[in-house]
Amino acid sequence: MTPLKPAVSLAVLAVSLWLLMSRRLRHDLVGVLSALVLVATGVVTPLALLQDLSSTAVIVVASAMILAGVLSESGFLDLVGDRLAMAIGNEYASALVVMLLTALLSGFVSDVALVLMFMPLIYSLASRFRKPASRYLLALSYAAILGGRYTMIGTSSNVVLESLWIQRFGRTLDIFAPTALGLEEALLGALVAALAVPLLVKSSRGAQPKLEELGPRSYLIEAEVPSGSPLVGMTVKELRKKLGVRVRRVRRTGRAIILRGGSSVLGEGMTLLLQVPKDKVPMLLSEKGLRTPLTGKPLYELLVPSGSSLVNNTVYEVNMKLGEVRVVGVSTTRSVRRLSSYSLAPGDALLVEGEEEKVARAASAYGLMPVRGRPLKGLNPRLAVAAVSGLGLAVGASLAGLNMALSFLAGAAVAVALAPAALRRAYTYIEWPTIVFVGTYVAVGQALVLSGLSSYLTPLSSSPFLLFLTSLVLANLVGNVASAALLGPLAVSSPHPITSVLAVAMGASSTFLTPFSHPANLIAYSAGGYEPRDFAIAGTVVVILIGLLTALTLH
């Protein structure tokens, strides 16, 4: 070994850590440049780099992103979360259920996808209990990050460790190897996130409301009670309790029926004009007792400005003009007797159904303004079945002993094969900068071992708890993947590899102290109007809990 290799490895490590902390370059570019320097100087061979780019970590992370994307698009988790929240009337109990559900799902679904999926539910809970949404957004991010630690596929850092384990020992590590410790930390951490974090975060109370909070709260949607509906005989009051909607008007065979308060009884053939909170629209879509204009296509919100050519057009006329884009609901302060005959006025909002590109073209053609960038999702049964089938195959095959990379690649293939719409979007589900970083920055960690620098870090290798603390600090400075990539080679070559890998897994996935250490934190940071000190204060409480549980288990 030439004396140059340790010096080059140390220099690459120092410069790459500085670039990651200063954020002067994107993390994927840092990974690529670091790997290229190591190959150019002979510290890492080109073949080794190519193996890293096609490693188990890269394949599993990319496949898991596809599975999470299909599951997110299906609207299944949105529906589950909303149903649970409706069944609970207490603010703290509702928050606790959402955080625990998020933590449990995060063992198999992308934490970033979970935060994005459950943010509308947080807005809904905040509105219902008249609290700022920022009260729980940080807790939601923490719950998603906490949950990823209890499986070897739940977070990118664990997948990196799994890949390093395979390279070292030639066999896979059980997918549930960290479950005993990880699930305990995830559940207790989610409990603290739900009940304690909202009390510790003070600076977010004056945050500016997001567009989703300023936009329309509810839409008027017509629904028919078909023959044989289980809702026949139910009172208006009972319908409101079941679905969270208000009945504004009732017609039967074109004639209006006078409502007698909440005691009015629903009958076959009635057409109901419902006032539906926008977060309840997906639930309305899945209600089999009502026939609605909703078909399961993506839903978008569009504002009608004064200059729009659709002003004074009826909803029926608008639908004739829009073609494949259909207005299914209207939000307005004016009186509405029948949705199809209502004439649009400036300031109204439309709930439209259609493909994203067609909605964008229609909005541009008729001078409409989008309220939000992401669609409201209803349940898409085909996508839900595809995602659950793919995920079940991936986990089942891994547990049966099949190579993890092949298992998840097969699961992703099944998911997109069962849902052609997902096949067209599979490329967009993958966060390519993360994939590139995972495939290239592992070379830096391996360089520490190959260059002999790891001999200077023997105290870390011999103490799992020191590995935990070091990986925790690194993760909060440069991210969980970088932490696992740097310390993983030390963990798998330590005298107690299983214990050391678990220590790094718990530390690398404890990114609670800074808003920039994890993408889920960045989403909450932006949406909630937090300050860095909010993460420092709340994160310290969670880190102390994780540290105590890890120390007790390791010793």
Side-chain angles (χ1 to χ4, degrees):
M1 181 184 301
T2 64
L4 182 64
K5 288 186 177 181
V8 170
S9 300
L10 191 60
V12 169
L13 173 62
V15 173
S16 64
L17 288 177
W18 175 74
L19 288 172
L20 288 171
M21 285 188 288
S22 65
R23 289 171 177 77
R24 292 179 180 271
L25 287 178
R26 275 193 349 228
H27 57 282
D28 54 329
L29 294 178
V30 173
V32 170
L33 292 174
S34 300
L36 289 177
V37 171
L38 291 173
V39 170
T41 54
V43 178
V44 174
T45 65
L47 179 60
L49 179 59
L50 289 175
Q51 289 174 338
D52 290 337
L53 289 170
S54 59
S55 65
T56 297
V58 171
I59 296 172
V60 171
V61 171
S63 301
M65 285 176 176
I66 292 175
L67 289 169
V70 178
L71 190 58
S72 174
E73 290 266 336
S74 73
F76 176 70
L77 295 182
D78 306 68
L79 183 63
V80 170
D82 207 31
R83 291 282 188 185
L84 285 173
M86 275 204 66
I88 303 170
N90 179 270
E91 175 193 354
Y92 291 103
S94 297
L96 181 58
V97 167
V98 173
M99 302 312 160
L100 290 175
L101 178 64
T102 302
L104 288 172
L105 290 171
S106 188
F108 301 95
V109 181
S110 162
D111 33 29
V112 174
L114 282 172
V115 170
L116 290 172
M117 280 189 283
F118 284 135
M119 273 179 64
L121 182 57
I122 292 296
Y123 285 123
S124 173
L125 291 175
S127 175
R128 183 182 306 169
F129 297 114
R130 298 184 179 181
K131 297 291 175 63
S134 54
R135 181 175 173 86
Y136 289 111
L137 287 173
L138 181 55
L140 178 67
S141 174
Y142 281 4
I145 295 170
L146 281 160
R149 70 187 58 224
Y150 78 88
T151 68
M152 291 307 295
I153 60 165
T155 185
S156 300
S157 53
N158 280 9
V159 177
V160 170
L161 292 171
E162 168 77 14
S163 180
L164 293 171
W165 181 274
I166 293 173
Q167 290 178 17
R168 175 75 177 181
F169 299 105
R171 56 186 172 84
T172 61
L173 194 59
D174 190 285
I175 189 174
F176 294 114
T179 299
L181 173 59
L183 190 58
E184 179 185 18
E185 292 185 354
L187 295 179
L188 289 177
L191 177 66
V192 170
L195 302 181
V197 169
L199 302 178
L200 297 170
V201 176
K202 299 181 183 297
S203 64
S204 62
R205 292 177 183 170
Q208 293 297 317
K210 305 303 289 180
L211 185 56
E212 288 87 345
E213 297 176 283
L214 295 173
R217 299 283 185 175
S218 61
Y219 285 92
L220 295 174
I221 299 176
E222 286 188 335
E224 182 185 344
V225 182
S227 176
S229 169
L231 302 181
V232 172
M234 182 179 290
T235 65
V236 168
K237 183 177 181 180
E238 290 170 336
L239 181 68
R240 179 183 176 185
K241 184 176 181 181
K242 175 180 172 64
L243 298 180
V245 302
R246 291 177 179 270
V247 179
R248 289 305 185 190
R249 292 185 184 275
V250 178
R251 295 193 327 273
R252 176 178 269 165
T253 62
R255 297 169 56 185
I257 297 176
I258 299 175
L259 292 174
R260 298 186 303 275
S263 62
S264 297
V265 178
L266 303 180
E268 290 183 359
M270 285 185 173
T271 300
L272 313 178
L273 183 62
L274 303 176
Q275 183 177 345
V276 186
K278 63 181 178 183
D279 58 289
K280 299 295 183 293
V281 172
M283 293 182 62
L284 187 65
L285 177 62
S286 64
E287 177 53 57
K288 296 182 179 179
L290 290 174
R291 186 179 296 139
T292 71
L294 303 169
T295 64
K297 292 182 180 178
L299 294 166
Y300 295 88
E301 299 172 89
L302 302 173
L303 286 177
V304 182
S306 57
S308 171
S309 59
L310 297 182
V311 171
N312 294 326
N313 282 240
T314 65
V315 171
Y316 174 80
E317 292 170 336
V318 170
N319 279 331
M320 293 295 289
K321 292 180 178 181
L322 297 183
E324 295 182 73
V325 175
R326 183 173 179 81
V327 177
V328 295
V330 173
S331 178
T332 182
T333 57
R334 303 166 69 203
S335 175
V336 178
R337 292 183 177 275
R338 189 169 185 169
L339 199 61
S340 61
S341 60
Y342 172 72
S343 296
L344 300 185
D348 289 348
L350 306 179
L351 184 64
V352 302
E353 189 180 66
E355 299 302 326
E356 183 176 4
E357 291 138 3
K358 294 175 181 176
V359 171
R361 283 200 298 269
S364 175
Y366 294 101
L368 302 173
M369 298 173 56
V371 175
R372 52 194 277 156
R374 292 183 294 111
L376 296 172
K377 291 193 292 289
L379 177 65
N380 186 318
R382 186 166 188 171
L383 283 178
V385 170
V388 173
S389 300
L391 186 59
L393 173 63
V395 175
S398 296
L399 291 176
L402 187 66
N403 177 276
M404 184 179 287
L406 292 177
S407 300
F408 274 81
L409 195 59
V414 166
V416 297
L418 292 176
L423 178 60
R424 293 191 296 269
R425 295 178 59 85
Y427 183 88
T428 64
Y429 294 146
I430 299 175
E431 299 170 20
W432 291 104
T434 299
I435 296 298
V436 171
F437 184 68
V438 169
T440 55
Y441 203 69
V442 169
V444 179
Q446 291 176 332
L448 293 178
V449 176
L450 295 174
S451 64
L453 281 174
S454 59
S455 60
Y456 298 101
L457 302 175
T458 303
L460 289 181
S461 301
S462 60
S463 173
F465 191 67
L466 279 180
L467 273 174
F468 164 77
L469 291 177
T470 306
S471 60
L472 187 152
V473 172
L474 274 176
N476 281 279
L477 292 176
V478 297
N480 61 336
V481 172
S483 178
L486 290 174
L487 297 178
L490 296 176
V492 297
S493 59
S494 72
H496 309 287
I498 281 279
T499 305
S500 297
V501 165
L502 290 181
V504 174
M506 296 305 113
S509 55
S510 297
T511 48
F512 308 113
L513 296 173
T514 65
F516 309 105
S517 56
H518 196 284
N521 282 347
L522 276 175
I523 293 171
Y525 181 65
S526 173
Y530 299 107
E531 294 180 7
R533 69 188 180 100
D534 292 317
F535 285 83
I537 295 171
T540 298
V541 174
V542 179
V543 163
I544 290 173
L545 171 67
I546 298 302
L548 288 174
L549 292 174
T550 303
L552 290 173
T553 302
L554 295 180
H555 292 282

